[in-house]
Amino acid sequence: MADKIKDAKIIFVVGGPGSGKGTQCEKVVEKYGYTHLSSGDLLRAEVASGSERGNQLQAIMQKGELVPLDTVLDMIKDAMIAKADVSKGYLIDGYPREVKQGEEFEKKIGAPALLLYIDAKSETMVQRLLKRGQTSGRADDNEETIKKRLDLYYKATEPVIAFYESRDIVRKIDSELPVDEVFKQVSQAIDKLK
Ligand SMILES: Nc1ncnc2c1ncn2[C@@H]1O[C@H](COP(=O)(O)OP(=O)(O)O)[C@@H](O)[C@H]1O
Ligand SMILES: Nc1ncnc2c1ncn2[C@H]1C[C@H](O)[C@@H](COP(=O)(O)OP(=O)(O)O)O1
Ligand SMILES: [Mg+2]
């Protein structure tokens, strides 16, 4: 595995729910041709398949909780391998959500070259998620679950940023600005990688 993706850059995209991770990743795909893997999207695909495992995942996600680490990591790893021959870089969106996930990823796959920290105020995230909820059809875009997701973000995911800061790979992105302004910052961080 490590061999197959040895030249591909790995970028972790970390930020609260509704901070704009998915929005920025789409633009990175367009400009840089990186492979975008969203843990949430992978999980929702499993739910949509109607499998027994998908039903269990749905119940967890609806409560705003984290699904088991092994499940997410296996899904990401399989998806990375599937793209290994064509991918020059990977955007890992929504993972790691806790320090342990980062540690396990590095043991099984490899080290990230960059961590994009997509930062927005909690009020901003709530407003964006409530708006997204009007059309997303996502079971977790409702007021009650949003609150739980935010709490979990501050408790479990923010420590991930501190964990990688010591390696100097964290780039903090101000995601309060309009999408294109946010993307300028993202582009600058990626351009510096080369
Ligand atoms: N910079 C921004 N300004 C305004 N709205 C944004 C911005 N970035 C994202 N959004 C909107 O906020 C919502 C959440 O964005 P999304 O990319 O799905 O976030 P995440 O993947 O982090 O949950 C979406 O409806 C999106 O259109
Ligand atoms: N790395 C991960 N570990 C555990 N659960 C995860 C996960 N990534 C996603 N999930 C589950 C729990 C999340 O509340 C839900 C939705 O995730 P998401 O689509 O990444 O949300 P968002 O883009 O709004 O931040 O899926
Ligand atoms: Mg997303």
Side-chain angles (χ1 to χ4, degrees):
M1 172 62 195
D3 258 17
K4 240 187 151 187
I5 60 160
K6 65 180 183 304
D7 293 326
K9 295 231 160 48
I10 294 172
I11 300 178
F12 284 163
V13 184
V14 177
S19 59
K21 302 180 296 292
T23 302
Q24 293 302 316
C25 285
E26 270 181 38
K27 296 181 74 71
V28 172
V29 169
E30 226 173 84
K31 179 169 174 184
Y32 297 91
Y34 277 32
T35 301
H36 175 209
L37 298 175
S38 154
S39 50
D41 288 349
L42 292 169
L43 291 165
R44 283 185 287 276
E46 181 71 29
V47 172
S49 78
S51 68
E52 181 49 39
R53 183 164 80 152
N55 293 340
Q56 291 165 7
L57 296 172
Q58 167 80 342
I60 297 170
M61 291 160 74
Q62 203 154 3
K63 286 190 281 183
E65 294 169 4
L66 297 182
V67 313
L69 190 163
D70 290 337
T71 306
V72 198
L73 186 53
D74 284 349
M75 280 181 179
I76 291 176
K77 189 175 166 187
D78 290 348
M80 287 179 81
I81 292 170
K83 293 282 167 101
D85 294 330
V86 294
S87 195
K88 57 177 197 158
Y90 294 96
L91 294 163
I92 309 297
D93 162 9
Y95 188 105
R97 264 186 156 77
E98 54 185 1
V99 170
K100 178 99 175 121
Q101 289 192 357
E103 291 172 339
E104 290 302 311
F105 185 101
E106 294 198 42
K107 272 190 214 156
K108 293 196 174 151
I109 300 170
L114 174 68
L115 187 155
L116 291 172
Y117 166 26
I118 311 296
D119 183 43
K121 289 188 277 200
S122 63
E123 308 89 85
T124 304
M125 295 192 270
V126 171
Q127 287 317 311
R128 288 180 184 172
L129 288 174
L130 288 174
K131 186 160 176 233
R132 187 176 78 183
Q134 292 170 5
T135 53
S136 69
R138 275 177 57 164
D140 57 355
D141 280 348
N142 61 77
E143 215 165 338
E144 192 189 340
T145 310
I146 289 168
K147 188 178 179 314
K148 288 194 196 154
R149 290 157 70 200
L150 273 178
D151 286 348
L152 189 58
Y153 168 70
Y154 291 116
K155 195 168 69 156
T157 310
E158 264 200 352
V160 170
I161 297 157
F163 179 78
Y164 286 101
E165 238 149 26
S166 60
R167 268 188 233 172
D168 199 28
I169 60 166
V170 175
R171 294 295 170 265
K172 185 174 178 176
I173 306 297
D174 178 1
S175 194
E176 291 286 329
L177 301 169
V179 171
D180 288 343
E181 296 296 321
V182 179
F183 187 59
K184 274 183 202 159
Q185 303 168 58
V186 168
S187 292
Q188 277 173 11
I190 294 179
D191 287 340
K192 276 191 198 133
L193 271 182
K194 290 166 198 160

